[in-house]
Amino acid sequence: MTFSSHNFANQKALIRVDFNVPIKNGTITDDTRIRMALPTIRKVLADGGSVILMSHWGRPLKDIEKKPNLTLADFTLKPVVAHLADLLGTDVQFAADCISDEAFAKARALAPGQVLLLENLRYYKQEEKGDKDFAEKLSKLGDVYVNDAFGTAHRAHASTAVIAQFFPGDKKMFGLLMEGEIKAGEEVLHNNKKPFTAIIGGAKVSDKILIIENLLDKATDIIIGGGMAYTFFKAEGGQIGNSLCEDDRLDMALELLKKAAAKGVCIHLPADSIIADKFAADANCSSGLSKEIPEGWMGLDIGQMAIEQFKKIICESKTILWNGPMGVFEMEKFQHGTKAIAEAVVEATAKGAYSLVGGGDSVAAVNKFHMADKVSYVSTGGGAMLEFFEGKQLPGIAAIKG
Ligand code: AMP
């Protein structure tokens, strides 16, 4: 059963959303995740159904254990109520506990067109433990289960995966956001047109090793930029000065290069770098070969030669996956490489390539350069997206797909 073909008239949709939005002093500072859930909520309401929303927010029990001055109230989803009501243009009710008698009474009393938000699921340790009884209790709140929380799809939690078993096949489905994420991911992993270029950047090789390994069986070219590139240069005997390096990953980096060569996948490292004498926005800068960085200097962005080299590959690609920035793009002096790569991805997309940008910092980068609407898809799931491209089965997807 797909969400779009389901008619929700007179039904109560229990929707798992990801409203884990940044909240400072009771004010939502970035409502992207709430906005992303709106199409799914609106469709149920337009059909004449009612909506029960459930989400986690932060890590209440873990944080309270570490900082006893915190209380559950510091982790409430209540600030979302008024904001969501504004966005939807309708009242939003709130239940101060997700499985209390009050929650059930309010859920039961919902009329078509009404919306109820439940308090933070993680007030209960059973949520993250994937507790079956807790999941079953939650399941009784609605007639149909809709999972629209791609950001937590890699977790086998009660509300993201375990709960699905309490609904028959035609009463559990992905929401529109989740559907879009899965479709985009599959387009890149399974229906890609060649050449398929993966651009992998960011700080640590250790975080990206599994994704690179999985892509060795899919991509034609893998561009490696950002801090992680220097571990490869050092592994090959280069001088990298004070650049970021994971010394315990040198052998692994060499092994990866070997595997790539054996599989005929081209790995591209940035020939040159923008180097700096300290990790700071006001550092002195220069440029030089990435494998000959002097002592006391560090590579904080890819250089002009690397930009040209990478642009050419990207512009000739038919499928592009981008995860991780090419440099310390948060600082003005070191944003140029990431921006140039974003421009190349936009150019390739305009020429017909399919481009997917995912993972926290590359998404922040395309947003910063106002290019999010010029690529084919921007993924909302950081960890979930990485695990998807590592080739793992995500519990939140498996629970519904079977
Ligand atoms: P990740 O979360 O692993 O994707 O890494 C993103 C972070 O890597 C960003 O905050 C960047 O500032 C940082 N980064 C990118 N390139 C470098 C570099 N050459 N040296 C240090 N940090 C970097």
Side-chain angles (χ1 to χ4, degrees):
M1 171 60 67
T2 70
F3 179 81
S4 305
S5 61
H6 190 85
N7 186 347
F8 286 89
N10 297 313
Q11 294 185 354
K12 294 187 166 77
L14 176 62
I15 311 180
R16 176 51 160 105
V17 287
D18 180 0
F19 283 175
N20 187 29
V21 291
I23 300 178
K24 272 201 190 119
N25 302 325
T27 305
I28 296 164
T29 53
D30 179 353
D31 68 353
T32 310
R33 287 183 169 151
I34 301 177
R35 286 178 187 275
M36 300 298 281
L38 294 177
T40 296
I41 300 172
R42 286 197 177 115
K43 140 90 178 154
V44 175
L45 299 179
D47 276 0
S50 53
V51 167
I52 301 150
L53 298 165
M54 54 179 178
S55 176
H56 73 285
W57 193 86
R59 297 169 166 249
L61 301 180
K62 286 177 187 154
D63 286 0
I64 290 171
E65 209 176 284
K66 277 189 240 144
K67 292 187 192 164
N69 60 321
L70 292 173
T71 66
L72 286 180
D74 293 305
F75 298 86
T76 180
L77 271 167
K78 206 155 187 199
V80 172
V81 173
H83 194 80
L84 179 62
D86 274 353
L87 291 173
L88 285 172
T90 183
D91 270 359
V92 173
Q93 303 177 37
F94 186 68
D97 181 306
C98 60
I99 49 165
S100 62
D101 290 346
E102 180 214 7
F104 278 92
K106 285 188 170 169
R108 259 193 311 271
L110 280 183
Q114 292 188 324
V115 182
L116 168 67
L117 173 67
L118 305 176
E119 183 56 285
N120 194 348
L121 294 160
R122 289 196 188 163
Y123 279 13
Y124 287 88
K125 63 177 184 313
Q126 291 92 326
E127 163 63 0
E128 286 186 82
K129 288 207 157 95
D131 183 86
K132 214 170 153 183
D133 295 338
F134 178 67
E136 186 172 14
K137 198 151 198 195
L138 286 173
S139 74
K140 302 222 156 39
L141 285 155
D143 306 315
V144 181
Y145 170 65
V146 179
N147 188 351
D148 215 18
F150 183 69
T152 45
H154 57 317
R155 310 274 185 229
H157 293 173
S159 69
T160 59
V162 183
I163 191 172
Q165 66 190 280
F166 300 107
F167 292 87
D170 61 344
K171 295 263 168 58
K172 54 183 163 190
M173 55 200 77
F174 301 122
L176 294 171
L177 172 63
M178 189 91 165
E179 237 174 47
E181 293 277 359
I182 296 170
K183 199 161 157 263
E186 283 179 349
E187 191 75 21
V188 168
L189 267 195
H190 306 301
N191 304 324
N192 56 67
K193 291 203 187 78
K194 304 276 175 9
F196 168 17
T197 299
I199 309 163
I200 309 291
K204 288 179 161 180
V205 191
S206 49
D207 288 344
K208 308 285 164 89
I209 179 78
L210 293 174
I211 190 170
I212 296 176
E213 286 213 329
N214 192 39
L215 290 169
L216 287 179
D217 289 323
K218 317 263 179 206
T220 32
D221 295 83
I222 301 180
I223 288 174
I224 295 182
M228 59 186 277
Y230 302 99
T231 300
F232 288 88
F233 284 114
K234 185 160 177 190
E236 289 186 310
Q239 309 286 315
I240 60 164
N242 293 351
S243 304
L244 216 58
C245 182
E246 287 175 272
D247 284 315
D248 56 339
R249 301 289 170 154
L250 296 174
D251 289 344
M252 197 198 66
L254 282 183
E255 196 55 38
L256 260 186
L257 294 175
K258 255 199 239 157
K259 273 192 203 164
K263 290 181 186 245
V265 177
C266 297
I267 299 248
H268 307 273
L269 291 162
D272 62 338
S273 292
I274 302 298
I275 58 174
D277 60 355
K278 57 180 175 180
F279 188 88
D282 63 348
N284 291 308
C285 294
S286 182
S287 63
L289 292 181
S290 301
K291 59 178 184 190
E292 291 175 13
I293 299 177
E295 249 342 285
W297 292 74
M298 60 186 84
L300 293 185
D301 194 6
I302 58 172
Q304 198 53 44
M305 279 195 301
I307 289 177
E308 296 310 323
Q309 171 200 3
F310 292 173
K311 261 185 164 173
K312 190 164 177 295
I313 298 156
I314 293 167
C315 288
E316 286 167 3
S317 304
K318 292 266 184 293
T319 307
I320 300 163
L321 170 67
W322 183 15
N323 174 281
M326 296 289 100
V328 185
F329 73 103
E330 299 92 335
M331 297 181 198
E332 163 94 48
K333 279 188 178 172
F334 312 113
Q335 65 166 355
H336 191 63
T338 303
K339 191 170 181 201
I341 292 318
E343 282 164 0
V345 174
V346 166
E347 194 182 321
T349 311
K351 285 199 308 188
Y354 187 85
S355 56
L356 191 159
V357 182
D361 278 315
S362 26
V363 173
V366 289
N367 284 335
K368 177 171 176 169
F369 305 132
H370 308 291
M371 294 176 186
D373 57 347
K374 299 190 181 82
V375 297
S376 310
Y377 195 81
V378 179
S379 173
T380 55
M385 188 263 183
L386 259 187
E387 290 197 19
F388 187 93
F389 286 105
E390 284 169 2
K392 292 184 185 146
Q393 207 187 40
L394 307 190
I397 297 179
I400 285 180
K401 261 193 171 171

